[in-house]
Amino acid sequence: MGEGSTDTPQGVGHGGGREVSQLSPSHVPVLLKEAIDFLNVRRGGTYIDATVGLGGHSYEIAKRLGAPGHLIGLDKDPAALERTAARLRPAGSGEADWPSIELRHASFASLGEARGPIADGLLADIGVSSLQLSDAARGFSFQADGPLDMRMDPQNERTAEQVVNHLDERELADVIYEFGEERRSRRIARAIVRSRPIRSTSHLAQILSAAARPMNSGSDKYERRIHPATRTFQALRIFVNRELDDLKALLEAAPRILKPGGRVVIISFHSLEDRIVKDAFREGSIKDKYYRVLTKKPVTASEEEQDRNPRARSAKMRAAERV
Ligand SMILES: C[S@@+](CC[C@H](N)C(=O)[O-])C[C@H]1O[C@@H](n2cnc3c(N)ncnc32)[C@H](O)[C@@H]1O
């Protein structure tokens, strides 16, 4: 087997060295080979990983940048950065050819403040990380009992508990409809308001299951396939973290911070995000002509990857080049 350290993010399995990963499957980065190929990392360049997370993609970028390169990694979640700082080290004797790495606790929306074209490439693998999902105390999962928090950044003032207990019924229904694409939003909002106060993920999941019951007996296979809490939890998470606003700010900043020939690669996990990415790339290529779109259709994970990593099933990747 290979020679990598046991805490090295999973190797991409093509090109040079192949690291041995001891990470659980849920920590495996999504569309890793595809994202790295589309980024077309140039040795010695400056690249931004806007969602460094556990560093799976960043590690592969770093390997290709080599000592003259520079990698800037951002994350809203300081817990991710703390763990990842130690993981973004070269395996074996690669120290001499490793780029400088700068990790910043920041939202990628802040990239709008960058002055001029600074980057040869920009990657964003948006959404929630396995680290966040698997920690019940963060409140992201309806499958484990925890407080209704859902903040990626603990400095964020708004928590899911505040939203669930203080938004008025109509606003709550709008959030659930808009960000969860949940057609039972009004009924769910009514059930939530009647059950207040709600303090835990399991209490909320119970309310959502009960509110969904009459419709679940119908013939809608799709609705029966997903857990009745899925869409509402997604909606609350997006609202709490202002995820779509951040994504729009990132897409607005991208063409300004990319050097000519630089590439932007975005991996998203639901249709609301993918639509925003698709529209921004299309606008940049047709109307303003600063992009060449590299993916006519979104790239999705192979069946083999989907089997290995269920999280990859909903992933969609799009890429464009700054011209
Ligand atoms: C799916 S994970 C990234 C996984 C990473 N590519 C890897 O290989 O380990 C998404 C990460 O993006 C972060 N994130 C989400 N929205 C963000 C934003 N607006 N700005 C910065 N980081 C964000 C989350 O905290 C999470 O750690």
Side-chain angles (χ1 to χ4, degrees):
M1 302 282 277
E3 69 297 322
S5 93
T6 52
D7 199 23
T8 299
Q10 169 114 333
V12 73
H14 72 135
R18 193 192 178 108
E19 279 67 37
V20 175
S21 174
Q22 299 291 310
L23 302 172
S24 70
S26 58
H27 286 135
V28 175
V30 168
L31 289 169
L32 180 57
K33 179 181 185 311
E34 292 83 350
I36 297 299
D37 283 349
F38 270 102
L39 261 187
N40 193 23
V41 180
R42 291 180 218 159
R43 186 176 166 78
T46 296
Y47 285 73
I48 301 174
D49 184 346
T51 53
V52 75
L54 290 164
H57 291 97
S58 274
Y59 187 83
E60 292 301 323
I61 297 171
K63 262 187 3 192
R64 286 160 180 76
L65 283 176
H70 186 51
L71 173 65
I72 301 167
L74 310 182
D75 207 293
K76 260 185 173 181
D77 186 349
L81 293 174
E82 237 167 72
R83 292 191 41 161
T84 301
R87 294 156 55 88
L88 281 178
R89 300 240 169 84
S93 58
E95 199 78 50
D97 196 27
W98 202 245
S100 60
I101 298 179
E102 190 188 329
L103 296 181
R104 293 187 200 157
H105 174 217
S107 166
F108 52 62
S110 70
L111 286 170
E113 293 155 22
R115 288 185 197 284
I118 52 163
D120 297 290
L122 168 67
L123 170 71
D125 168 22
I126 46 186
V128 66
S129 73
S130 47
L131 181 71
Q132 291 160 340
L133 263 180
S134 62
D135 182 355
R138 304 287 300 267
F140 286 102
S141 173
F142 51 78
Q143 280 159 344
D145 189 29
L148 275 171
D149 190 322
M150 297 196 197
R151 289 171 302 171
M152 289 178 178
D153 185 346
Q155 286 175 5
N156 191 354
E157 277 175 19
R158 183 196 280 167
T159 66
E161 184 178 312
Q162 287 162 2
V163 175
V164 161
N165 289 301
H166 298 296
L167 234 57
D168 75 38
E169 189 178 318
R170 236 190 59 193
E171 273 181 298
L172 194 55
D174 289 348
V175 166
I176 294 169
Y177 184 75
E178 188 182 346
F179 300 131
E181 298 184 293
E182 169 63 86
R183 54 194 162 113
R184 292 176 290 234
S185 57
R186 302 222 169 276
R187 186 199 307 194
I188 288 173
R190 199 174 320 126
I192 288 176
V193 169
R194 281 190 190 150
S195 312
R196 282 171 176 170
I198 306 166
R199 306 282 179 222
S200 69
T201 51
S202 58
H203 185 197
L204 179 59
Q206 246 173 36
I207 295 162
L208 297 171
S209 295
R213 219 161 273 143
M215 273 198 182
N216 267 4
S217 56
S219 60
D220 189 335
K221 274 194 198 145
Y222 177 68
E223 288 301 322
R224 277 185 288 148
R225 217 180 54 205
I226 65 168
H227 189 285
T230 308
R231 292 171 187 275
T232 300
F233 267 66
Q234 173 188 303
L236 292 171
R237 200 199 80 211
I238 291 176
F239 184 66
V240 163
N241 295 291
R242 299 179 176 84
E243 291 180 29
L244 302 187
D245 289 342
D246 280 2
L247 176 60
K248 287 176 194 161
L250 171 74
L251 289 165
E252 214 179 285
R256 277 185 282 123
I257 59 176
L258 283 173
K259 297 179 193 168
R263 291 185 169 186
V264 50
V265 176
I266 314 268
I267 303 171
S268 65
F269 290 88
H270 53 77
S271 54
L272 291 171
E273 291 167 344
D274 183 56
R275 212 173 304 144
I276 293 172
V277 178
K278 179 178 155 188
D279 290 349
F281 285 0
R282 195 201 290 131
E283 202 164 302
S285 66
I286 296 172
K287 204 172 120 217
D288 301 318
K289 296 205 186 327
Y290 48 71
Y291 276 149
R292 179 167 73 89
V293 178
L294 304 173
T295 46
K296 279 216 173 81
K297 282 187 183 162
V299 176
T300 53
S302 65
E303 263 179 45
E304 189 268 320
E305 180 175 356
Q306 293 186 30
D307 287 346
R308 204 165 18 94
N309 183 8
R311 212 175 81 81
R313 284 183 200 145
S314 49
K316 290 202 165 88
M317 188 186 83
R318 293 184 187 267
E321 186 174 276
R322 182 77 169 93
V323 289

